[in-house]
Amino acid sequence: MSARSRLLAFICLAFLSALACRTAEGWLGLGDEPVTADSSPPTASVPASPPEVSTTDDLRIETFAPRDSEMTVRFTLQPGEVSFLFTATATDPNSEVAILRVTAPDGTLLYEDDYDSDLPGGGWFTDFVYDYGEVGLFLPIVPQMPLPPGEYAVLVSTEAAGFSDLRVIFKRGPADAPQALDFTIWLATGELGVITAPDLDEIRGEMDALLAPHDLRVGAFNVQEPDTSVVAQFAEIDDDETHLDELDIPAACGVMARAGGASRSVHLIVVDWITASDAEPGDIVGYSAGLPGSILNPGGRLSCIVASYQAYLGSNLEHGLTWIHEAAHFMGLLHTTEEDGLYFDNLADTPQCPADRFDGDGDGYVDDYECGREGGADNFLFYSGILEFAPFTITPDQAWVLRRHPLFYPVAP
Ligand SMILES: [Zn+2]
């Protein structure tokens, strides 16, 4: 039986009128699904075909010809490149895809899922890397992780017959220059959820306030209002409101990626309500389809984030916080502390709120007030977020990771 027990998709919930996010563990009853029918050793390494290469200014993209349902993809990080985002798409969107091993150029183990351990091998990751239909791997995940030039090897496996897409996006430095993050926004709300241009300006301003201390900012807002016939492909429309079921989010991302292209931007769908079979309307405020998600991939399904508009109607600060929080998940960042006070991110400078210290009422959850600022209730990636703890902050280590992600691009100061 696999030791993997937590699903790497993030659902963000409104919790006691707060922004709360947590993993889907327990809530959806998922987990403990082995990647393959047995735990036999990985198949022999399959060398990838020579890659097709396309280049933008500071990005280099390699795509690989998929072969088997379990294969080692080898690629070379060149001098001056500071990060890479690997994504693998299975032929079946419902099949599990998992990263099983990652090795550095000198053979050092960076990550391993050996089926028997509670934690991944290599010592860097705090959770296993797998998802359904697609999976993403973004390195480096912490500032302490060396990422020297040379050949990396990623062993990836799926329960599907094979892969339809394998790609690596490399980003060239310098990473410490000012950078911006574009958004492509589909306003898929109904007539009751009208988002005006001044609203969008305010939301952008809230995100900028959070990013500015780190020389990061929001770039373009490419706003589109898809036709009702397009929205109806992924959401239910009634009473002038749109309802998107969380199970339909990957399909919604796929519709957006096919219709709108796969630009270098956060692809965000704003609906009135995000629904789930066991959640009340308004409980779910945001959702990142990937952790990290796939970008610049026209067929990508884990390629967007979703936000509810009605959940925070009238509060552009909360919209801004939700959008950038989900965007950060999409770029691979974890909650600083999960609601159980047992799981944390892997960054050294983010505050933690362990249950054994902070769960004052012993109910098994650490809330904003129990944690306070000391426990990180004012961090933008705390699992929850109450406006009382504003202004929210991004730590230097969180910014360090974000500015290496290929969605951020260099801009003039
Ligand atoms: Zn979250």
Side-chain angles (χ1 to χ4, degrees), residues 10-12 19-22 325-326 329 335 380-383:
F10 274 64
I11 296 170
C12 299
L19 166 66
C21 306
R22 59 178 177 173
H325 176 114
E326 299 305 330
H329 283 323
H335 289 151
F380 87 124
L381 278 176
F382 188 64
Y383 83 90

Side-chain angles (χ1 to χ4, degrees), residues 273-285:
W273 303 105
I274 302 169
T275 59
S277 59
D278 53 356
E280 296 296 319
D283 280 357
I284 304 176
V285 300

Side-chain angles (χ1 to χ4, degrees), residues 13-20 282-283 312 339 365 367-368 383-384 386:
L13 307 173
F15 178 69
L16 299 175
S17 77
L19 166 66
D283 280 357
Y312 288 136
E339 65 179 345
Y365 301 98
D367 68 29
D368 303 69
Y383 83 90
S384 177
I386 291 180

Side-chain angles (χ1 to χ4, degrees), residues 327-352:
H329 283 323
F330 189 82
M331 291 184 272
L333 288 182
L334 306 170
H335 289 151
T336 54
T337 296
E338 297 292 353
E339 65 179 345
D340 56 12
L342 299 176
Y343 293 96
F344 313 97
D345 69 18
N346 42 16
L347 298 172
D349 72 346
T350 47
Q352 296 188 345

Side-chain angles (χ1 to χ4, degrees), residues 26-244:
W27 197 67
L28 289 175
L30 297 174
D32 278 339
E33 292 287 329
V35 173
T36 50
D38 58 40
S39 56
S40 58
T43 57
S45 164
V46 178
S49 300
E52 301 167 11
V53 179
S54 68
T55 305
T56 60
D57 288 350
D58 63 325
L59 300 183
R60 182 169 61 87
I61 302 175
E62 293 189 9
T63 57
F64 300 87
R67 293 188 183 170
D68 300 334
S69 58
E70 186 157 302
M71 60 184 288
T72 296
V73 181
R74 300 179 189 279
F75 49 86
T76 299
L77 186 78
Q78 296 179 354
E81 291 175 335
V82 296
S83 66
F84 65 79
L85 173 65
F86 170 91
T87 55
T89 306
T91 52
D92 173 5
N94 299 313
S95 290
E96 191 171 309
V97 188
I99 306 287
L100 296 184
R101 190 183 308 119
V102 182
T103 52
D106 66 356
T108 302
L109 184 68
L110 298 177
Y111 169 88
E112 186 171 47
D113 181 352
D114 65 3
Y115 296 100
D116 295 323
S117 304
D118 292 333
L119 282 173
W124 296 104
F125 284 75
T126 58
D127 211 343
F128 294 94
V129 182
Y130 72 109
D131 215 317
Y132 292 87
E134 291 179 21
V135 74
L137 173 80
F138 177 62
L139 295 186
I141 59 169
V142 294
Q144 293 78 16
M145 176 184 255
L147 205 71
E151 185 183 81
Y152 290 76
V154 175
L155 175 61
V156 62
S157 175
T158 179
E159 292 175 322
F163 294 97
S164 58
D165 188 273
L166 295 162
R167 62 182 59 215
V168 186
I169 301 175
F170 304 88
K171 178 169 174 168
R172 182 171 299 281
D176 54 359
Q179 298 192 58
L181 176 69
D182 290 349
F183 280 76
T184 297
I185 304 168
W186 271 19
L187 300 183
T189 52
E191 292 181 14
L192 292 178
V194 177
I195 307 174
T196 65
D199 285 328
L200 290 168
D201 284 345
E202 279 190 28
I203 292 170
R204 180 210 300 260
E206 298 295 351
M207 292 196 283
D208 273 338
L210 199 54
L211 294 166
H214 302 283
D215 261 349
L216 301 173
R217 64 177 188 248
V218 176
F221 262 15
N222 172 25
V223 179
Q224 299 176 27
E225 297 188 50
D227 289 344
T228 303
S229 61
V230 175
V231 177
Q233 291 177 41
F234 56 82
E236 290 187 15
I237 306 170
D238 58 43
D239 297 332
D240 297 324
E241 294 181 323
T242 55
H243 304 251
L244 174 55

